[in-house]
Amino acid sequence: MSSKIEKKDLKTIYRRYLALNCMNDYPGQMHNGYTFSLLPVLDKIYKDNKEERIKAKKRHMEYFNITPNIAGFALGISTAMEEENAKNPEFDDTTINTVKTALMGPLSAIGDTLFPATLRILATSLVITMAAAGNVFAPILFLLIYNIPNYLARWYSLKYGYSMGMEFMVKSQKSGVMDKVSYACTVVGLMAIGAMIFYTVNISTPITIGDVKNGGIVLQTTLDTVMPGMLKIALVGIEYWLLKKGVKVVPLLIGTMAVGVLLFAIGAIA
């Protein structure tokens, strides 16, 4: 069967996908932008099946968060999978979100390293002297250095994501590799999240037990001996548990700040 999706359709996704990070909300992060990017192709893929069209649009309104610069890969994969779902009555449509979600961690680990943490810093370092000297071309040069790779990465990640998705779907349906890939992506994503927690969450305690000069215990040193970053993972674990219990994001943020200020005031955390 010939493909319904053409290059012009990918260009439509690309144009919409430029606004991916402009539609965030705390509960779903980029889900609005992701669905907005796919709306035209979903209408095309399921044009003769209103029920499936509605299901597809609702499907992509689930939580999604990724480095925008390379999110095209996930969009391309989703497009290919939606197309296969429309063609194949035996296709399991739950795998569409499974794969999309599993890609968030690994792709974000790569994207965050390449763009915010590397390219943005590099572009800044190259123009900062010019900017300090009052050169009006400094911000223009910064935008060019950052955005030329940014827009190229967005397009080619979408293009190759779709191409790989089509090839991937043809082979994976018979081999059963889909579950293995999803599992592997999830493991890598969890590893990336664990590393991100260690390096971005900042919490420690100044509590000491007894006189340090006379053999007293520095609690933070003891905790680090047992497991480095124990307080960090404990904090994230508590936050995750509260989210699973149904606590909304905004009250959770406000509560975390309030508890943090209180614990700092009594000297429990640094």
Side-chain angles (χ1 to χ4, degrees), residues 80-91:
M81 295 182 76
E82 292 288 1
E83 194 171 12
E84 181 65 21
N85 183 47
K87 294 177 183 177
N88 184 0
E90 297 181 1
F91 185 85

Side-chain angles (χ1 to χ4, degrees), residues 190-203 220 223-224 227-234 236:
L190 290 173
M191 291 171 61
I193 292 170
M196 187 169 61
I197 289 171
F198 184 83
Y199 286 107
T200 60
V201 178
N202 186 14
I203 181 173
Q220 184 62 53
L223 292 175
D224 288 340
M227 186 179 75
M230 181 185 293
L231 291 180
K232 300 178 180 183
I233 195 67
V236 173

